Amino acid sequence: LWRFGYSARLLKTNHFRTAASNTSFPAVWMLLAQYSGTIPARFVVVKKNSFFTMPETDKANLELYSPHPGVRGMTLLNRAAFKRTVVVPVLKVKKEIVNTLLKSLKHTVLQRPGLKRVVEDTEDEDSRLVILDPHKIPEFSLGEAEQEVLKQLNVCPEVSKYNLELTYENFKSEEILRAVLPEGQEVTSGFSRVGHIAHLNLRDHQLPYRYLIGQVLIDKNPGITCVVNKTNIIDSTYRNFQMEVLAGESNLVTKVKENNIAYELDFSKVYWNPRLSTEHGRIVELLKPGDVLFDVFAGIGPFAIPAAKKKCRVFANDLNPESYSWLLHNCKLNKVDNKIKVFNMDGRDFLLGPVREELSKELPLLKEEQKTSFHIVMNLPALAIEFLDVFRHLLVGEPCSTAGLPTVHCYGFSKHDDPTKDIQERAEASLGTSLAGRCSTYPVRNVAPNKEMLCISFQIPADVLYKRPCP
């Protein structure tokens, strides 16, 4: 009842409460009529013990948002087959007052993107036909409020029927795909956009329709000129995956912009996920000018390049030769190539080599008053936690001040019921020490049902990082 706007005062009336509690549901509406003078127009009271039914015009309204039923099962796109004609309510109006009428009846006229609300009157060139929303005009008759508006404008309140022709261009991509795929099956209209490329991850039942889906997405999304579908899980050494071009051009070299920084890449050869932009920004926000960042699995530079622009010293590494090449390219593109040292190594070798060398050199020189921080980013969720054992006795000597100990930001996937606990326990197992009270875990995103991506951040404990020399 609240949905229909009846006041709290009415619903709290003792007489109404008592009557309603002893009355069948259809009769409750009659009680409302006694108090308000009207019965909600969207419902009609039918025989006792039967259900409320929607007006017949709702069938026409459903047609207004549904392509021709004959397209069900189509696998190769035939745009002409989506055409259909539906009957809609219209008002005949003198053309000089059309704009005034549209403003006065803005909640009643058709509000459907891509469809004209005003059409020519073939029988009277001085008049126009204003299309009304079938939802708002049950049984092609206007309510009292609308009739009063028309009376003031000196417009005949008679509602006529008009045959409206709908074509492929009038339907949204989701409506098209819902009409084509088997009834009850999940419809894919969402995708990741990487420059001019739309990246899908189709389910098995959608694969027979993949080429049609690809073409529909190009038709309905300006700027998309290529649609690809992932064909296997990211499990290769270089974190790229095989993909099939479903529609459009086969050019997979593209440009993207993230957090006001431009990147170029070959989407078929390197890893890029636009859903991680917020996480990239979150980590960079933790850095201060003068800090040192070691990016162990740098990709094409979404952590490294904005950090360098923030005047941090950056050491960036990636094993994939293509990622390494595009990282160098993007450093030059963003004019930070002289601020980033780039490496093409295995992550473990990078930690045991350049990272250990730099920490061995820098940490002993730190003074208590210096505020330089060292950060190590390990964004390889499938494997990064297994690399944490590298930090065991990575350095030799007496520990530096606690403030100077490097902070690690390590990413991982978890299918556990308690992913935060799972990630911490796995990190502790690799490090060989407890992180209780010494770490924070941040949920990054839901990757799949029952699969979470998280980031665990902690300062490496001194007794883990340092191997003290024998007396």
Side-chain angles (χ1 to χ4, degrees):
L1 302 185
W2 285 106
R3 289 182 58 198
F4 290 96
Y6 291 94
S7 69
R9 185 172 61 254
L10 168 62
L11 294 178
K12 289 179 180 178
T13 302
N14 286 334
H15 172 69
F16 178 80
R17 276 206 312 258
T18 302
S21 65
N22 298 313
T23 309
S24 64
F25 186 63
V28 171
W29 292 100
M30 300 309 295
L31 282 170
L32 285 173
Q34 293 175 21
Y35 281 91
S36 66
T38 60
I39 296 177
R42 294 264 305 168
F43 290 86
V44 294
V45 179
V46 292
K47 293 180 181 180
K48 187 176 180 180
N49 297 328
S50 62
F51 291 101
F52 283 72
T53 58
M54 299 295 286
E56 290 184 6
T57 48
D58 275 1
K59 183 176 183 295
N61 184 65
L62 291 174
E63 292 176 348
L64 191 63
Y65 301 96
S66 302
H68 193 284
V71 301
R72 181 78 65 193
M74 179 187 294
T75 55
L76 294 178
L77 184 60
N78 176 9
R79 296 176 181 84
F82 288 81
K83 184 185 295 184
R84 79 178 309 168
T85 301
V86 297
V87 179
V88 295
V90 295
L91 278 175
K92 184 172 181 176
V93 183
K94 291 296 181 182
K95 62 182 182 182
E96 56 267 19
I97 65 166
V98 165
N99 289 335
T100 304
L101 180 74
L102 291 175
K103 292 177 183 178
S104 301
L105 294 182
K106 61 182 179 180
H107 297 299
T108 307
V109 297
L110 183 66
Q111 301 286 347
R112 171 73 171 171
L115 282 180
K116 293 182 178 179
R117 295 179 293 175
V118 181
V119 295
E120 300 286 334
D121 185 350
T122 56
E123 298 177 355
D124 184 358
E125 63 179 18
D126 294 329
S127 298
R128 297 291 183 267
L129 299 178
V130 176
I131 302 177
L132 306 177
D133 188 337
H135 243 161
K136 311 290 178 61
I137 311 298
E139 300 182 5
F140 289 77
S141 60
L142 292 168
E144 291 182 8
E146 289 84 2
Q147 291 188 41
E148 183 61 30
V149 170
L150 297 181
K151 183 178 179 181
Q152 293 177 9
L153 295 174
N154 197 27
V155 174
C156 175
E158 181 182 353
V159 178
S160 303
K161 296 181 178 181
Y162 177 78
N163 291 328
L164 178 65
E165 186 177 88
L166 302 174
T167 66
Y168 173 82
E169 285 70 28
N170 299 129
F171 298 111
K172 301 174 184 177
S173 57
E174 186 174 343
E175 294 165 346
I176 291 170
L177 299 181
R178 188 179 294 116
V180 169
L181 270 64
E183 288 188 79
Q185 296 278 21
E186 181 185 355
V187 173
T188 293
S189 58
F191 56 87
S192 295
R193 182 164 184 170
V194 183
H196 67 276
I197 302 167
H199 170 219
L200 298 170
N201 187 8
L202 297 178
R203 306 289 179 86
D204 288 344
H205 72 272
Q206 298 160 342
L207 292 177
Y209 307 92
R210 61 190 184 278
Y211 301 120
L212 179 144
I213 292 172
Q215 190 57 56
V216 170
L217 292 184
I218 286 179
D219 291 345
K220 299 297 179 177
N221 295 277
I224 295 293
T225 59
C226 175
V227 179
V228 299
N229 179 45
K230 183 173 74 171
T231 58
N232 71 344
I233 298 172
I234 303 174
D235 58 358
S236 65
T237 304
Y238 298 146
R239 295 186 74 204
N240 55 354
F241 47 77
Q242 298 299 315
M243 61 184 72
E244 178 186 12
V245 176
L246 303 182
E249 59 183 337
S250 296
N251 175 24
L252 297 180
V253 175
T254 189
K255 298 178 181 180
V256 296
K257 196 167 187 179
E258 179 183 275
N259 300 327
N260 296 316
I261 295 178
Y263 302 89
E264 295 180 352
L265 63 138
D266 185 337
F267 190 55
S268 65
K269 295 180 180 178
V270 303
Y271 179 80
W272 179 265
N273 190 337
R275 293 187 177 95
L276 295 176
S277 62
T278 301
E279 180 61 13
H280 296 150
R282 184 182 75 88
I283 294 297
V284 173
E285 188 67 26
L286 300 175
L287 307 177
K288 303 184 299 294
D291 285 353
V292 180
L293 174 67
F294 300 101
D295 194 349
V296 185
F297 312 105
I300 66 168
F303 288 114
I305 291 173
K309 279 187 165 291
K310 204 171 180 178
K311 298 183 179 179
C312 296
R313 288 194 295 128
V314 180
F315 297 76
N317 170 73
D318 203 280
L319 177 62
N320 181 356
E322 288 288 338
S323 294
Y324 171 76
S325 177
W326 285 104
L327 175 57
L328 289 171
H329 174 82
N330 286 308
C331 287
K332 291 180 181 178
L333 181 67
N334 289 282
K335 300 178 181 179
V336 292
D337 46 310
N338 61 338
K339 299 178 182 178
I340 300 180
K341 291 185 178 181
V342 180
F343 301 85
N344 180 206
M345 306 172 66
D346 175 79
R348 189 173 291 271
D349 293 338
F350 175 65
L351 289 166
L352 291 170
V355 174
R356 176 160 61 182
E357 180 182 339
E358 192 66 21
L359 291 177
S360 298
K361 182 174 64 176
E362 294 282 342
L363 290 183
L365 301 177
L366 278 184
K367 298 178 181 178
E368 289 292 339
E369 64 272 13
Q370 286 183 317
K371 296 183 179 180
T372 299
S373 297
F374 295 84
H375 293 262
I376 302 172
V377 173
M378 304 174 69
N379 185 19
L380 184 64
L383 297 172
I385 290 178
E386 298 175 14
F387 284 72
L388 293 179
D389 66 305
V390 172
F391 296 119
R392 294 190 189 189
H393 296 170
L394 181 67
L395 305 181
V396 176
E398 289 298 324
C400 67
S401 66
T402 304
L405 293 170
T407 298
V408 174
H409 308 281
C410 183
Y411 293 84
F413 294 133
S414 177
K415 295 183 179 180
H416 198 272
D417 291 338
D418 187 345
T420 298
K421 179 181 178 183
D422 175 49
I423 289 290
Q424 181 175 329
E425 288 179 349
R426 287 159 54 198
E428 290 172 338
S430 289
L431 291 168
T433 191
S434 171
L435 292 175
R438 297 193 285 185
C439 70
S440 62
T441 305
Y442 184 84
V444 177
R445 70 185 188 98
N446 176 257
V447 177
N450 303 316
K451 184 178 181 181
E452 300 290 331
M453 178 178 174
L454 303 96
C455 175
I456 183 169
S457 298
F458 57 90
Q459 274 194 305
I460 308 173
D463 55 347
V464 172
L465 183 63
Y466 283 92
K467 179 181 180 181
R468 297 181 180 180
C470 293

